[in-house]
């Protein structure tokens, strides 16, 4: 059964029933069929909705393109800004967002795309009883891609279904769907790891800390890392915020070693290569109070493995010792850098969807060759 939570099906009960039934048929397909529904005729991803749709080749392409885009924008900004001038994108955010929204918006600007936004849903026609299906289809009529954040766990699939009902199937990018997935955050976290560990991400030990149950960044991030060999993941959270069954099963099926630590963070710090902190997602219920045993203390920096790093998708609250923000030039502290990495990752995702990623990588090779000739 589909969980309808959070999607508005319109004022008319009979139309809502009809649409829901149609969507249910779509959503009932196997995960392989749903993956194919997210690809174009050449098997290239067309919709970016779930971490389970990515393979290592795709992720490497995104990382290499992000790295190249960064270099090319510095040297030849005009080239970058000329790549997608004929394309437009709608940033459709039904939930609060600072970094994801701004980094997408700036990524689109780096590629020369025309962009518009809807952030205040009260201004949309749902206030006249229009269903979200019709709103999304209408809004998509004017653009070449849609980036969307939504409180429903299944909005990603819903949006792909809406795209498939139309004659203009645009690329849809999930910028966070309820508690379930945040695939572009997973890619930017991965890009941060990839840069630091120089692409070598097998045999790593990772700690996800905080709200493992409802943290969509953890769900998508852990699924991505499960593509690697010999991975061990600690979920460090009190019992009521421990990892959800679906994510745990996904990791176990891929032979990831899963350890649930419910007492505190201190004992896990010396054992891992990356510590990924998260805030309590109390917009989904509860008080938001953070158990002090799970705070990342300043002294933990000295207890980490020599190459280990500290990440956070942000926004942060009390889960990281505030003193840490005043330490400059400690390469282990990655969460500020991650925000900038997010913009380049999103440049890479858009470039991939519009098939100009290879142009960016080639241009970068050329620039490097001119700067450092081989002979
Ligand atoms: C995260 C999100 O929205 O899931 N933020 C983000 O996109 N960087 C994490 C959070 O809100 O805690």
């Amino acid at each position: 059964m589909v969980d309808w939570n959070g999607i508005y099906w319109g004022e008319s009960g009979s139309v809502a029933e009809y649409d829901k039934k149609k969507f249910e048929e779509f959503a009932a397909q196997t995960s392989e069929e749903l993956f194919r529904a997210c690809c174009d005729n050449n098997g290239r991803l067309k919709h970016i909705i779930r971490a389970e749709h990515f393979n290592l080749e795709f992720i490497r392409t995104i990382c290499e393109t992000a790295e190249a885009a960064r270099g090319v924008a510095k040297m030849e900004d005009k080239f970058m800004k000329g790549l997608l001038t004929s394309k437009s994108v709608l940033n459709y955010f039904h939930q609060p967002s600072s970094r994801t929204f701004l980094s997408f918006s700036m990524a689109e600007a780096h590629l020369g795309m025309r962009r518009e936004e809807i952030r205040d849903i009260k201004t949309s026609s749902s206030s006249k009883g229009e269903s979200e299906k019709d709103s999304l289809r209408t809004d998509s009529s004017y653009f070449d891609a849609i980036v969307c954040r939504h409180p429903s766990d299944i909005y990603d699939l819903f949006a792909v279904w809406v795209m498939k009902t139309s004659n203009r199937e645009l690329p849809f990018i999930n910028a966070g769907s309820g508690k379930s997935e945040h695939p572009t955050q997973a890619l930017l976290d991965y890009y941060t790891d990839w840069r630091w560990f120089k692409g070598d991400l097998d045999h790593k030990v990772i700690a996800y800390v905080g709200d493992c149950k409802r943290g969509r960044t953890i769900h998508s991030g852990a699924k991505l890392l499960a593509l690697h060999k010999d991975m061990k993941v600690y979920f460090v959270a009190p019992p009521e915020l421990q990892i959800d069954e679906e994510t745990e099963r996904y990791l176990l099926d891929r032979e990831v070693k899963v350890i649930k630590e419910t007492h505190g963070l201190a004992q896990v710090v010396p054992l891992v290569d990356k510590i990924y902190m998260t805030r309590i997602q109390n917009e989904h219920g509860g008080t938001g109070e953070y158990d002090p045993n799970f705070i990342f203390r300043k002294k933990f920096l000295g207890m980490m493995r020599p190459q280990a790093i500290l990440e956070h998708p942000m926004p942060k609250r009390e889960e990281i010792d505030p003193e840490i923000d005043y330490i400059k030039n400690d390469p282990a502290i990655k969460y500020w850098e991650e925000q900038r990495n997010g913009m380049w990752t999103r440049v890479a995702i858009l470039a991939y969807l519009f098939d100009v990623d290879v142009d960016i990588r080639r241009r970068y090779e050329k620039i490097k060759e001119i700067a450092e000739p081989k002979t």
Side-chain angles (χ1 to χ4, degrees):
M1 265 307 275
V2 174
D3 169 15
W4 302 115
N5 175 30
I7 292 179
Y8 179 57
W9 292 87
E11 191 76 8
S12 157
S14 59
V15 175
E17 281 319 302
Y18 187 82
D19 286 344
K20 279 185 193 176
K21 198 165 154 280
K22 286 281 191 194
F23 174 55
E24 216 158 30
E25 279 164 23
F26 175 79
Q29 294 178 93
T30 64
S31 44
E32 185 51 41
E33 285 164 337
L34 290 172
F35 167 66
R36 276 202 298 274
C38 290
C39 293
D40 67 14
N41 294 337
N42 304 317
R44 195 176 159 97
L45 271 180
K46 186 178 174 88
H47 305 292
I48 305 294
I49 64 164
R50 294 184 173 182
E52 68 186 60
H53 291 174
F54 306 155
N55 60 25
L56 282 178
E57 192 191 332
F58 169 77
I59 301 169
R60 216 166 283 140
T61 300
I62 294 297
C63 291
E64 284 168 5
T65 310
E67 201 61 16
R70 207 169 193 140
V72 177
K74 220 175 266 164
M75 308 291 286
E76 290 185 20
D77 194 39
K78 248 202 178 135
F79 169 83
M80 287 291 291
K81 291 212 164 72
L83 283 171
L84 292 178
T85 47
S86 64
K87 300 292 179 197
S88 60
V89 55
L90 175 65
N91 295 313
Y92 198 42
F93 278 65
H94 296 239
Q95 262 190 324
S97 173
S98 322
R99 330 78 307 257
T100 306
F101 176 82
L102 283 175
S103 62
F104 261 114
S105 185
M106 287 313 292
E108 293 150 8
H110 271 294
L111 290 162
M113 299 180 84
R114 170 84 201 265
R115 59 210 203 278
E116 298 288 339
E117 63 188 61
I118 297 180
R119 300 190 77 181
D120 181 1
I121 302 309
K122 289 194 285 305
T123 62
S124 92
S125 283
S126 54
S127 56
K128 296 184 190 167
E130 182 176 62
S131 68
E132 286 200 62
K133 166 182 155 289
D134 286 1
S135 300
L136 182 60
R137 190 162 167 184
T138 302
D139 297 335
S140 74
S141 313
Y142 311 114
F143 297 93
D144 300 303
I146 291 214
V147 176
C148 185
R149 167 170 288 191
H150 197 282
S152 165
D153 290 352
I154 49 157
Y155 194 83
D156 55 344
L157 215 51
F158 169 82
V160 171
W161 169 68
V162 174
M163 292 299 130
K164 296 254 165 219
T165 62
S166 131
N167 292 327
R168 280 188 87 247
E169 185 186 339
L170 319 180
F172 176 85
I173 304 175
N174 177 7
S177 47
K179 305 177 286 309
S180 62
E181 286 261 3
H182 196 343
T184 68
Q185 177 74 40
L187 287 169
L188 84 86
D189 295 332
Y190 187 99
Y191 173 50
T192 306
D193 303 342
W194 179 85
R195 291 188 101 200
W196 178 251
F197 293 110
K198 305 205 168 12
D200 177 16
L201 290 166
D202 288 337
H203 320 291
K204 293 282 179 281
V205 188
I206 315 291
Y208 287 107
V209 189
D211 198 338
C212 300
K213 189 188 178 82
R214 301 173 299 181
R216 56 193 175 193
T217 62
I218 294 182
H219 302 154
S220 296
K223 285 177 180 171
L224 264 201
L225 288 173
L227 287 166
H228 282 280
K229 284 196 273 274
D230 184 29
M231 301 298 280
K232 192 192 248 188
V233 174
Y234 285 88
F235 291 106
V236 185
E240 66 280 11
L241 295 176
Q242 263 301 334
I243 193 65
D244 62 289
E245 243 171 71
E246 194 260 317
T247 309
E248 184 181 6
R249 174 75 3 239
Y250 186 95
L251 301 184
L252 293 173
D253 286 349
R254 283 152 189 84
E255 286 169 17
V256 176
K257 287 189 198 75
V258 173
I259 299 149
K260 295 186 208 169
E261 171 52 65
T262 54
H263 296 101
L265 175 56
Q267 53 275 41
V268 173
V269 171
L271 309 176
V272 303
D273 300 299
K274 148 162 146 168
I275 299 174
Y276 191 88
M277 303 296 299
T278 59
R279 73 176 171 92
I280 306 283
Q281 310 280 306
N282 56 303
E283 62 271 42
H284 302 298
T287 62
E289 214 171 294
Y290 196 84
D291 179 339
N293 290 317
F294 296 88
I295 290 178
F296 188 97
R297 311 266 173 207
K298 187 174 174 217
K299 64 176 185 212
F300 292 173
L301 286 171
M303 294 159 48
M304 287 161 77
R305 285 180 170 180
Q307 290 298 305
I309 51 176
L310 173 64
E311 293 183 1
H312 193 309
M314 307 282 263
K316 64 180 168 64
R317 301 199 291 219
E318 68 270 50
E319 59 276 6
I320 292 186
D321 191 332
E323 277 187 69
I324 294 177
D325 274 353
Y326 298 88
I327 302 172
K328 277 203 172 165
N329 302 323
D330 182 339
I333 304 166
K334 291 280 177 228
Y335 45 90
W336 297 108
E337 183 188 320
E338 272 176 281
Q339 312 208 37
R340 196 142 174 92
N341 289 347
M343 181 177 71
W344 298 116
T345 305
R346 286 161 178 142
V347 166
I349 293 167
L350 289 159
Y352 172 90
L353 290 175
F354 288 106
D355 220 355
V356 292
D357 54 314
V358 65
D359 303 78
I360 297 175
R361 294 195 302 275
R362 279 200 195 123
R363 195 69 174 199
Y364 187 49
E365 286 311 313
K366 244 195 198 117
I367 291 173
K368 282 200 299 193
E369 212 177 292
I370 295 166
E372 300 159 27
K374 285 201 182 92
T375 50

